[in-house]
Amino acid sequence: MSKRPTLADIASAAGVGIATVDRVLNNRAPVRDDTARRVAEAAEKLGYHALGFISARDKRSLPVMTFGFVLSKEKQPFYQNLAREIEAAVTARRDIRGKAKITFVRATTPEDFCSAIKGLTEQCDAVAGAALNHPKVTRTVAEAAAKGIPFFSILNDFAEPSRRAYYGMDNMRVGRLAAWMLATKIRQSGKVAVFVGGSRWHGHILRETGFVSYFRDNAPDLHVLDPFVNLDTRQITYEATLDLLSRHSDLRGIYVAGGGIEGAIAALRESRPAGKIALVGNELTDDRRAALSDGYMTMVISTPLETLCRNLVDHMIKAALGEPNLPTGPQILDPLLYLPESV
């Protein structure tokens, strides 16, 4: 067995005296921050058994930072997953002592989003959120920026030009991917339907635009019906899907650009055999995984949440610390694609 490192070994590696190492380890007296870090680095290299104590004391010299996040639909699995990834990304940082404050709006109105953003602006060093596009929200973000609080949009790009950057997917590309999958699966003439959460969600409108443009350019035999607004809710999507199936015998496929796809899955399970209607949606959750496995979904296009949150938190830290020359444009992430054979 190799010899266990001693305080003398650490002192030699760090270029300090044994008494200094003892003070860092046992917190006997104040030690300069750079000295404490040098001792901690030496202990880590040597594999010292009490490194955890040294690191804990060394961490006290790190800046304390609070990050705010505005989300909606607290009970939806996707937003629960996003909240967990946010917490994990903040906790994983070793260069700060960070805390994530997550606010879920109760209703998706401009006033609710504005109130949440204002509340977090007063408590946090930087704020990010997924909110709808509305002049009131844009003004609220501009007020935060004027106070020196950097703001980032996620999933749905909004509040330009005051927001620092957008983190999410290229939503027009997402819509074209959905259309490509449906056209590839269907391979016959007929009709396809698209659901959007509402006109205030710019990301949904971009997905619809990409969806329609793909069929116009590449699959003219498939007619895209006028978009249905489902307010991202299960019940509206369920009822509208049943209505579509009853009125259009040549309905071949459905794309749900936002939330509420659970309603479409339920309607198809009740009224059609698996695979009869091609269905594409976004964000992999347990119910969508089950629908893929059972043949009721054709593809799920998912946001890489871990990558999004890790990169977002890094950018928020740098912006809050005032680092120069940070990117301000959209930070586009490649989507994750899930098929029945990949879950």
Side-chain angles (χ1 to χ4, degrees):
M1 286 180 68
S2 60
K3 178 186 174 184
R4 176 177 292 181
T6 65
L7 296 188
D9 296 327
I10 298 172
S12 177
V16 298
I18 294 177
T20 300
V21 175
D22 179 64
R23 286 199 298 272
V24 172
L25 176 60
N26 296 301
N27 199 28
R28 298 188 192 282
V31 177
R32 288 173 50 184
D33 291 344
D34 59 339
T35 302
R37 279 193 290 272
R38 200 158 71 247
V39 170
E41 290 169 1
E44 182 177 9
K45 289 179 181 179
L46 294 171
Y48 185 65
H49 66 89
L51 175 60
F53 296 99
I54 299 175
S55 297
R57 289 183 172 84
D58 183 49
K59 192 172 183 180
R60 293 188 305 188
S61 65
L62 299 177
V64 177
M65 305 186 76
T66 303
F67 307 101
F69 301 88
V70 179
L71 305 179
S72 58
K73 310 283 185 182
E74 183 175 8
K75 295 183 179 180
Q76 284 192 0
F78 168 72
Y79 282 103
Q80 293 172 3
N81 292 340
L82 175 56
R84 282 193 290 269
E85 290 295 344
I86 287 171
E87 295 276 8
V90 173
T91 302
R93 298 295 298 212
R94 294 293 178 263
D95 53 344
I96 62 165
R97 286 184 284 166
K99 179 181 180 181
K101 293 183 69 69
I102 300 174
T103 297
F104 287 94
V105 297
R106 293 187 175 183
T108 55
T109 67
E111 292 75 18
D112 287 310
F113 283 115
C114 290
S115 176
I117 292 169
K118 287 179 180 178
L120 290 173
T121 297
E122 296 172 357
Q123 307 173 58
C124 301
D125 298 285
V127 181
L132 47 73
N133 300 79
H134 193 277
K136 289 183 179 179
V137 178
T138 301
R139 286 197 297 271
T140 300
V141 172
E143 291 169 1
K147 295 177 181 178
I149 305 299
F151 188 94
F152 298 79
S153 63
I154 58 175
L155 306 178
N156 177 65
D157 197 5
F158 65 97
E160 290 188 271
S162 299
R163 62 105 173 103
R164 280 297 187 97
Y166 160 69
Y167 275 85
M169 297 185 293
D170 179 338
N171 284 303
M172 187 171 291
R173 179 189 177 197
V174 169
R176 290 184 66 86
L177 274 171
W180 172 84
M181 186 71 262
L182 290 183
T184 301
K185 176 70 173 179
I186 295 168
R187 294 187 177 277
Q188 59 180 314
S189 62
K191 297 171 183 173
V192 292
V194 56
F195 287 87
V196 297
S199 60
R200 288 294 185 184
W201 292 101
H202 189 224
H204 292 189
I205 302 306
L206 287 176
R207 290 177 183 181
E208 179 208 343
T209 300
F211 187 78
V212 172
S213 69
Y214 180 89
F215 284 109
R216 183 180 60 240
D217 297 340
N218 301 287
D221 291 340
L222 285 167
H223 172 66
V224 183
L225 299 170
D226 289 338
F228 293 82
V229 175
N230 68 352
L231 303 179
D232 288 333
T233 61
R234 181 190 189 281
Q235 188 62 29
I236 294 177
T237 310
Y238 170 76
E239 294 173 0
T241 300
L242 290 177
D243 181 64
L244 279 170
L245 294 170
S246 68
R247 290 192 296 111
H248 301 283
S249 59
D250 60 345
L251 184 69
R252 309 298 184 200
I254 299 171
Y255 173 48
V256 181
I261 197 171
E262 300 85 359
I265 295 170
L268 292 178
R269 286 187 184 276
E270 289 180 13
S271 58
R272 294 292 188 276
K276 183 68 174 179
I277 304 294
L279 176 63
V280 174
N282 301 293
E283 311 308 347
L284 188 67
T285 56
D286 290 343
D287 57 345
R288 289 158 222 188
R289 186 185 296 273
L292 282 171
S293 298
D294 296 342
Y296 281 97
M297 283 197 72
T298 309
M299 182 172 71
V300 172
I301 305 169
S302 202
T303 305
L305 292 182
E306 181 182 357
T307 301
L308 184 152
C309 295
R310 182 177 65 249
N311 294 349
L312 170 65
V313 169
D314 183 69
H315 200 160
M316 292 174 78
I317 292 171
K318 292 176 179 177
L321 293 175
E323 291 194 20
N325 304 318
L326 295 176
T328 57
Q331 304 300 299
I332 301 301
L333 304 170
D334 290 329
L336 302 175
L337 305 181
Y338 296 94
L339 303 170
E341 294 302 319
S342 66
V343 296

